[in-house]
């Protein structure tokens, strides 16, 4: 990722904008300002949702949640800070981003850049330290190696493309280790470090071929003193990660297979080869903004696309971490004034309630058209996320197998509310029915 498409760097050549690339892929949505229909999120104990209610139509199928069918362990939901490009978060914004109380985002993952120059290594330290103090996992990604390690070459029509010199692989590993050590000596323990940000979209940084990535992992990554992350493809181009999974020596030295999701259709979210060969490894989504970076994060119901995207990332892709691009931006999780945006509220439904160590459990993913359901377990509590993208309220029944829970609490985001608590009610034999307001996301937590 480079700077925003509407913030050109004076005097510097720019790669094709992401909007240009995504438009060519057919991924830029048609924006809409249609207002959503508002309704209160009432929760009532019920064993059936077959009849129409006064406030909504009935969903076609009950959503069955099975805690015995365990899927991926969640590492967290997070965002990126990059002080050199957009300025650092303020102290208050750090607490809003990584705190878990009312009005907070609840992020549990922070992504940092690895500056190529040592003089810049302290630039994001204050945010990293505060995020770590609040319990967040911190990891880092490089855009470029130090300049003396780089050579230029011809890459298609680009005559000044950059790559790491093959005789500098060992020196580059030491550079990454030194950055890791710098943070550790300043109170931040990196969970992992990436080999390269978007090596397949590197018009403005450093290119890597699949073979070069596999070689570095085989020969040099074993010397890194933290978990190793690769390859961070621009849009989940699996030809970049397949060679790693198919190379036992390279795979042995990588801990997290990571990708970005710019323009990636939901149909490409599953990764069968990872399920086949990735035992013992983690699968992360380490950068995205969605659906665009050109409209306000408070535009509704467009912001609801974030909740749908999160749903598919958890259920279809089975990612263990989901990381947004800039935390604070006009299209980000926090507005420039530091308050939650609508996109941020959709993220907070996941981040605040689905905490590191929770396990996704099987649930009826689409009980009705445009109704998306996922479920997670942490201790004895079950968290259910329900996204209603329809223009009408829906009465949705949930049935929890083998549940001893006696009540459920709910939080709601719609056109008029942001992660607003809706109260608590009892459950009957593991069943309850929720009215999902039109164009809304609801979090349900059992106790």
């Amino acid at each position: 990722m480079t700077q925003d498409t509407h913030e050109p760097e004076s005097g510097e050549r720019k790669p094709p904008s992401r909007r240009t690339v995504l438009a060519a892929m057919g991924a830029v949505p048609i924006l809409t300002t249609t207002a959503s229909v508002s309704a209160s999120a009432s929760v009532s104990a019920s064993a059936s949702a077959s009849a129409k209610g006064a406030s909504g139509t009935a969903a076609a199928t009950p959503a069955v949640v099975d805690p015995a069918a365990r899927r991926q362990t969640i590492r967290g939901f997070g965002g990126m800070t990059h002080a050199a490009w957009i300025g650092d978060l303020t102290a208050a914004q750090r607490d809003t981003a990584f705190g878990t109380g009312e009005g907070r985002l609840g992020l549990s993952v922070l992504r940092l850049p690895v500056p190529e120059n040592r003089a810049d290594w302290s630039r994001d330290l204050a945010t990293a330290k505060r995020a770590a103090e609040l319990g967040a996992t911190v990891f880092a990604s490089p855009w470029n190696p130090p300049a003396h390690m780089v050579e230029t070459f011809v890459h298609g029509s680009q005559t000044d493309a950059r790559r790491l010199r093959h005789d500098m692989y060992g020196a580059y590993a030491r550079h990454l280790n030194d950055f890791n050590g710098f943070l550790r000596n300043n109170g931040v323990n990196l969970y992992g470090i990436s080999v390269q940000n978007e090596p397949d979209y590197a018009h403005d940084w450093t290119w890597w071929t699949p073979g070069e990535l596999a070689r570095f992992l085989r020969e040099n990554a074993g010397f890194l003193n933290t978990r190793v992350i690769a390859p961070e493809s621009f849009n989940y181009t699996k030809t970049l990660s397949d060679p790693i999974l198919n190379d036992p020596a390279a795979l042995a030295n990588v801990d997290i297979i990571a990708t970005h999701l710019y323009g990636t259709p939901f149909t490409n979210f599953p990764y069968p080869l990872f399920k086949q060969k990735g035992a013992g490894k983690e699968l992360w989504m380490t950068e995205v903004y969605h659906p665009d970076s050109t409209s306000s994060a408070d535009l509704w119901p467009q912001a609801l696309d974030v909740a749908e995207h999160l749903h598919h990332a958890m259920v279809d892709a089975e990612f263990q971490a989901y990381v947004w691009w800039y935390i604070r931006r006009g299209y980000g999780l926090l507005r420039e004034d530091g308050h939650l945006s609508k996109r941020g509220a959709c993220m907070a439904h996941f981040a605040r309630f689905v905490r590191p160590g929770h396990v996704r459990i099987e649930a009826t993913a689409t009980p009705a058209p445009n109704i998306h359901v996922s479920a997670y377990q942490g201790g004895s509590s079950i968290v259910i996320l329900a996204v209603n993208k329809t223009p009408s309220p829906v009465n949705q029944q949930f049935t929890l197998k083998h549940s001893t829970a006696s009540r459920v609490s709910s939080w709601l985001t719609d056109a008029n509310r942001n992660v607003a608590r809706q109260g608590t009610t009892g459950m009957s034999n593991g069943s309850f029915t929720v009215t999902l307001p039109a164009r809304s996301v609801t979090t349900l937590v059992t106790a």
Side-chain angles (χ1 to χ4, degrees):
M1 179 67 192
T2 189
Q3 284 187 302
D4 299 337
T5 56
H6 53 281
E7 294 179 323
E9 299 168 276
S10 177
E12 293 190 16
R13 173 192 49 76
K14 296 288 291 178
S17 73
R18 280 191 194 280
R19 190 168 181 85
T20 300
V21 173
L22 299 186
M25 301 169 70
V28 174
I30 298 173
L31 303 186
T32 175
T33 56
T34 304
S36 73
V37 179
S38 176
S40 64
S42 61
V43 182
S44 61
S46 173
S48 172
S50 60
K52 288 187 178 180
S55 60
T57 58
T61 306
V64 178
V65 177
D66 185 1
R70 295 167 65 86
R71 302 299 182 234
Q72 75 269 30
T73 299
I74 304 302
R75 295 300 177 203
F77 301 86
M80 176 90 189
T81 186
H82 202 310
W85 287 356
I86 63 165
D88 201 1
L89 299 177
T90 67
Q93 289 165 359
R94 293 168 193 142
D95 287 352
T96 300
F98 297 97
T100 56
E102 295 294 325
R104 307 295 174 93
L105 262 173
L107 300 183
S108 52
V109 178
L110 172 66
R111 184 182 185 225
L112 303 173
V114 181
E116 57 197 83
N117 298 317
R118 289 173 180 261
D120 299 324
W121 282 2
S122 62
R123 207 161 42 197
D124 297 287
L125 184 58
T127 292
K129 291 179 71 171
R130 183 55 179 156
E133 289 170 359
L134 292 172
T137 293
V138 182
F139 75 101
S141 302
W143 269 245
N144 289 301
H148 72 277
M149 299 183 190
V150 174
E151 65 184 5
T152 59
F153 72 110
V154 176
H155 184 275
S157 60
Q158 186 180 357
T159 59
D160 60 347
R162 285 176 284 180
R163 67 184 173 202
L164 178 65
R165 286 168 43 188
H166 290 173
D167 63 341
M168 286 288 178
Y169 280 25
Y172 183 54
R174 289 191 293 274
H175 168 74
L176 297 180
N177 261 344
D178 287 349
F179 180 75
N180 177 47
F182 170 82
L183 287 183
R184 185 175 60 249
N185 292 337
N186 284 276
V188 178
N189 292 318
L190 281 185
Y191 186 86
I193 198 163
S194 171
V195 174
Q196 173 65 48
N197 169 75
E198 295 181 351
D200 54 341
Y201 186 80
H203 306 82
D204 210 32
W205 46 87
T206 303
W207 295 95
W208 291 65
T209 67
E212 288 168 340
L213 282 165
R215 176 187 166 183
F216 181 85
L217 291 171
R218 279 195 312 270
E219 298 178 4
N220 302 97
F223 297 100
L224 296 178
N225 296 325
T226 187
R227 294 174 185 84
V228 177
I229 302 169
E232 288 201 280
S233 166
F234 164 56
N235 66 343
Y236 217 178
T237 302
K238 297 182 176 71
T239 53
L240 208 61
S241 49
D242 282 354
I244 299 170
L245 291 167
N246 286 319
D247 184 330
L251 185 60
N253 288 332
V254 70
D255 302 281
I256 300 166
I257 297 293
T259 190
H260 303 169
L261 289 179
Y262 292 106
T264 310
F266 295 149
T267 53
N268 287 353
F269 277 25
Y271 197 177
L273 186 63
F274 179 83
K275 293 179 75 70
Q276 177 188 350
K277 297 191 173 184
K281 311 299 177 181
E282 298 186 24
L283 187 64
W284 286 25
M285 197 292 295
T286 53
E287 186 190 308
V288 78
Y289 53 71
H290 183 80
D292 61 44
S293 65
T294 57
S295 57
S296 167
D298 283 324
L299 185 63
W300 193 266
Q302 186 204 37
L304 191 58
D305 289 351
V306 174
E308 182 187 17
H309 199 258
L310 277 156
H311 166 85
H312 289 289
M314 295 296 105
V315 174
D316 299 342
E318 299 188 78
F319 290 123
Q320 295 171 263
Y322 182 105
V323 182
W324 193 263
W325 179 227
Y326 294 136
I327 294 171
R328 185 201 65 228
R329 214 65 184 146
Y331 57 84
L333 306 176
L334 300 183
R335 302 193 306 253
E336 290 290 1
D337 64 6
H339 292 95
L340 260 69
S341 67
K342 281 294 187 182
R343 292 183 182 184
C346 289
M347 172 75 97
H349 275 273
F350 288 79
R352 274 181 55 190
F353 301 97
V354 182
R355 301 300 296 169
H358 275 55
V359 176
R360 188 176 71 85
I361 55 180
E362 194 62 36
T364 306
T366 310
N370 290 310
I371 304 295
H372 306 290
V373 173
S374 62
Y376 311 82
Q377 185 168 28
S380 61
S381 181
I382 291 174
V383 179
I384 301 171
L385 273 297
V387 181
N388 178 9
K389 293 203 75 183
T390 74
S392 302
V394 171
N395 291 338
Q396 178 62 58
Q397 181 186 348
F398 295 89
T399 299
L400 280 59
K401 290 186 175 181
H402 317 297
S403 175
T404 59
S406 60
R407 62 188 184 277
V408 61
S409 301
S410 67
W411 286 259
L412 169 70
T413 292
D414 62 6
N416 303 308
R417 290 163 285 196
N418 285 347
V419 204
R421 183 155 188 161
Q422 300 299 293
T424 303
T425 193
M427 297 170 56
S428 176
N429 297 320
S431 266
F432 60 95
T433 294
V434 174
T435 298
L436 305 175
R439 297 190 176 108
S440 67
V441 55
T442 301
T443 297
L444 303 155
V445 182
T446 69

